[in-house]
Structures are given as C-alpha cells and as structure tokens.
Amino acid sequence: MEEFHKVRRLPPYVFEQVNRLKASARAGGADIIDLGMGNPDLPTPKAIVDKLCEVVQDPRTHRYSSSKGIPGLRRAQAAYYARRFGVKLNPETQVVATLGSKEGFANMAQAITAPGDVILCPNPTYPIHAFGFLMAGGVIRSMSVEPDETFFPPLERAVRHSIPKPLALIINYPSNPTAHVASLDFYKDVIAFAKKHDLIVLSDLAYSEIYFDDTPPPSVLEVPGAMDITVEFTSMSKTFSMPGWRMGFAVGNERLISALTRVKSYLDYGAFTPIQVAATHALNGDGSDIAEVRSVYKRRRDVLVETFGKAGFEVPPPAATMFAWAKIPEKFRPLGSLEFSKLLVEKADIAVAPGIGFGEMGDDYVRIALVENEHRIRQAARNLKRFLSTADETMHNVISLNAHRQG
C-alpha cells in the first residue's frame, strides 16, 4: 500500500536499525553498553521531584492546564534569561512553554512554513531541525555547521541561488551532534546576515548549561536587535535531568511566539500542571543542581576521551553538550557510520549513534553519548580495544566488500 504523502517525505529512521540490533543482542544475553541515545541516566534532583509530589496531591491541578504555560513558569523562564544572559523578556508575549524543544521546533515549523518554503539548516544536525520543516511542506537547503569564517560563504551562495528566497536560518550551538560552541561575535554576524537577507533565525540552545570550561555559551538573543527576527528554544531535559518530563520553552520575537502559541492552542493543553509547577521550582533554584550535572558529564567526558584514545579510537574532547563527535577509525570509514555502528554492537557490545542519522555530512562520524557511568565507559573502552586489536584478522572480508561505498 502506498505511503501517505507526509510519511513519504521522511527517510527511514536510521537510529531504529541500531536499536533493533541492540535489543536483539540484549535478548541473546549480551551486556550492551548504550552510548547511543541522548537519554540522561542521572536522576531528576530530589527537590524537583518532591515539588511534583506535593502539587499532584491537589486535585485542582489534575484539570486541563494552559497550553502556553502557567504564568509562574513563564515568569521563571524570563527570570532565568535575565540572570543568565542579561536578556529581558516579557513573559506574557515573548515566552511559551513547549513539550520539550523538539515539539517546539516542530510546531514552529507548522506555524510559519508554506509549501515549498526554503529553510537553511545545518548538516549534520539534530533531526527535528530538518524533519519538522519537511513535514510542514518546506524544502531543506543544507549549510555548514562550524561557527567560523567558513560558515558564511556557502550561506551567501544558498541565499543567492535559492528559489524562493529562504524563509529561515536554523542555528544550534552548543551543537548536537558536533558539540561546536558559538561565540557572541559569531552570533552578531549571524544576526547581521539574517537582517540583510530578511531571514527568521531559529536557535536551538538546549545544551546551554552543559559546558566544560569557564565560558558559558551565549544566547543569540544577547545580540542587539536579535529579538526582531529570532526565536530560541531551550529544554529542561538535560539541564535538570528531566527528559521524560517533556518541558521546554520558546522565547523571543513576539510575532513568531504568537504564531507558535496559536498553533499549539489547537493541538495541546500544555504539560500536566504539577510538572509545570515543579519546573518553575527548578528554574527558580540556586543553580547547584545544574552545576552537579555539569561536573558529572565533565568527568565522564574526560574518561571517555582518555580510555577510547588508548583503545585506538581518537575522540576529540567536546567543549559542551553530553556528546562526543568522533571520526570513525580510518580503516572502517568505507563502511559508513551505520554499518560501523552495527559492528560495534555485534563485536564490542557498544551502542553509538551513526552520524548519517544527523545528515549526509555526518557519515564519517559517530555520536557517543555520556549516558553511562565512568565504570561502564571504561568497560566499553576495554571492549573496543579487543575489537580493534583483532579487526585486521577478523574483519578483512567485511571491510574489503564495503571499500567502494559511494558518497
């Protein structure tokens, strides 16, 4: 039976192939160390859970909530932006709560996209950045990821040669999956470029608080005039280890926030009220919970880089996010990231995310998530070392058969 139109526009979800293999291996008794999905293993801080438990006892909170977020939650998010970035937001018109940043991005695409609209999107990038607009009828034009002097020349060509002229530019720093971090000077250039070409800027800042040096990542909204054209998305999933709670935000330009709010009002009644109250409590806290999460990921990052490097798989230390973005060892590169990821499950009991799942420009890489403790990461390195040290003898047929992979 023929697929429906919107379903046809979506490529196969490549992560599911690794997930099926992982589930099959576990069913067979294998101890798979899962460094694939960015699903935090750290518990939500006790004070946040306690607040949820307290509020859920009140039956009045069991009714429909507010789609745009309860007023106290929107005020708390505005206060967070004022403290962290020095950005002033009107919680009534410039803040809307979302069911995670993923839902916010997808519904923003529905709100602003006409069929055939061109969207400038990083490649590689988090899948919803592209797929949200594809489902809305948009057309994706890929662009560079690195926030340096190489970013703008291809962007100029894309604007010059796209018909119709692009509608929006997506940026994502700290980046998932590459972990690149942008500077405020880079953001100033982005806003100047977007204003010159009449582009909307959509910024994914989900990893703003997971950084490993003394320079917190900035918000693009810190740039004077950015509010005229920009909406930024954040999430509590990683910052407060609340992934299953589905709580995020979109903030910025009033017209764009109004469009998103209107679309959402037809689709949902917002998150469960006790979750919103607990999220408010988290945002109004002293930041100690965030600092502890950050320190745990930093220790895991350091162990990963050291032990995988000694095993023969060089992993550049990410400056931010809960991911490392590592180039596949040269001898395996002809296989592509999906087949290499499958090999790691089968031969080393390690699950990672294939780079091709984030875009064609990611196919020489895998994304490694810091979602296992240090002991398990060291165990993964030992498994990896055993696999790599015997690969020349045991994998020569597999590698040679795939050596002429195209693209």
Side-chain angles (χ1 to χ4, degrees):
M1 187 177 295
E2 188 177 6
E3 291 278 17
F4 296 109
H5 169 69
K6 287 192 176 182
V7 176
R8 283 202 310 270
R9 301 202 76 200
L10 299 175
Y13 200 57
V14 299
F15 303 117
E16 187 56 35
Q17 297 186 48
V18 177
N19 289 339
R20 283 198 300 269
L21 193 61
K22 179 177 65 181
S24 175
R26 281 178 167 162
D31 177 21
I32 302 297
I33 301 170
D34 193 352
L35 306 175
M37 187 177 180
N39 191 5
D41 64 313
L42 301 176
T44 305
K46 184 177 183 299
I48 302 173
V49 176
D50 288 346
K51 177 58 70 171
L52 173 72
C53 294
E54 172 195 328
V55 177
V56 80
Q57 301 302 320
D58 183 350
R60 292 175 298 177
T61 66
H62 300 177
R63 306 180 73 183
Y64 289 131
S65 191
S66 167
S67 177
K68 69 185 292 186
I70 60 175
L73 178 60
R74 286 182 278 115
R75 288 195 297 269
Q77 176 68 351
Y80 161 74
Y81 258 78
R83 289 192 312 270
R84 173 70 166 80
F85 304 112
V87 172
K88 184 177 180 181
L89 295 168
N90 182 336
E92 293 302 315
T93 60
Q94 294 179 311
V95 180
V96 60
T98 63
L99 305 179
S101 57
K102 188 173 185 179
E103 176 267 321
F105 239 97
N107 279 329
M108 179 60 80
Q110 294 292 332
I112 68 175
T113 310
D117 276 346
V118 176
I119 308 299
L120 301 173
C121 182
N123 189 337
T125 195
Y126 187 54
I128 197 62
H129 297 156
F131 296 161
F133 284 94
L134 287 173
M135 285 188 282
V139 176
I140 296 299
R141 179 148 188 165
S142 295
M143 64 188 211
S144 173
V145 174
E146 297 192 20
D148 57 23
E149 67 279 356
T150 67
F151 184 85
F152 291 99
L155 214 54
E156 290 277 6
R157 289 195 297 274
V159 169
R160 195 160 55 243
H161 297 296
S162 294
I163 299 175
K165 182 186 75 63
L167 170 72
L169 165 65
I170 297 170
I171 53 177
N172 171 213
Y173 303 104
S175 167
N176 177 10
T178 68
H180 290 308
V181 179
S183 68
L184 191 57
D185 284 340
F186 172 78
Y187 282 149
K188 289 176 181 177
D189 291 340
V190 166
I191 294 301
F193 178 91
K195 288 196 166 189
K196 175 183 176 183
H197 296 289
D198 193 26
L199 297 171
I200 295 167
V201 175
L202 301 176
S203 169
D204 186 344
L205 192 65
Y207 294 90
S208 61
E209 300 302 341
I210 311 299
Y211 58 90
F212 306 127
D213 57 26
D214 296 327
T215 308
S219 162
V220 68
L221 291 173
E222 294 178 49
V223 177
M227 197 71 72
D228 300 338
I229 57 170
T230 302
V231 166
E232 190 158 70
F233 299 84
T234 57
S235 169
M236 300 188 73
S237 296
K238 278 69 178 186
T239 303
F240 292 98
S241 299
M242 297 171 64
W245 299 54
R246 307 314 304 134
M247 179 54 61
F249 301 92
V251 307
N253 176 264
E254 290 188 12
R255 176 170 173 259
L256 293 169
I257 292 296
S258 175
L260 173 59
T261 303
R262 184 169 181 182
V263 166
K264 279 178 58 61
S265 71
Y266 284 92
L267 299 176
D268 69 68
Y269 284 108
F272 187 35
T273 297
I275 290 178
Q276 296 195 48
V277 175
T280 304
H281 182 72
L283 287 169
N284 288 334
D286 62 7
S288 58
D289 293 331
I290 301 174
E292 176 57 26
V293 167
R294 191 183 300 130
S295 67
V296 169
Y297 285 131
K298 186 177 189 299
R299 290 194 299 270
R300 292 179 179 182
R301 178 203 68 165
D302 293 344
V303 169
L304 176 77
V305 171
E306 178 190 1
T307 60
F308 273 48
K310 288 180 178 178
F313 188 179
E314 183 180 353
V315 177
T321 78
M322 55 184 291
F323 306 112
W325 183 241
K327 203 160 196 177
I328 298 169
E330 188 172 359
K331 70 176 69 175
F332 296 97
R333 222 164 284 161
L335 295 174
S337 60
L338 180 56
E339 292 305 316
F340 179 69
S341 297
K342 290 179 179 179
L343 271 184
L344 288 184
V345 174
E346 293 173 346
K347 306 297 183 181
D349 291 341
I350 303 169
V352 298
I356 189 67
F358 303 96
E360 63 187 74
M361 300 306 292
D363 202 20
D364 283 342
Y365 296 80
V366 292
R367 192 194 70 180
I368 307 170
L370 304 172
V371 292
E372 294 269 16
N373 63 41
E374 294 166 44
H375 170 74
R376 296 281 282 171
I377 292 171
R378 293 181 191 278
Q379 182 182 338
R382 290 192 294 270
N383 294 358
L384 181 65
K385 185 175 183 178
R386 281 196 299 270
F387 167 56
L388 294 179
S389 65
T390 61
D392 287 341
E393 292 76 33
T394 61
M395 303 302 301
H396 61 280
N397 289 334
V398 174
I399 296 172
S400 64
L401 284 172
N402 288 273
H404 300 292
R405 176 178 64 94
Q406 297 298 310

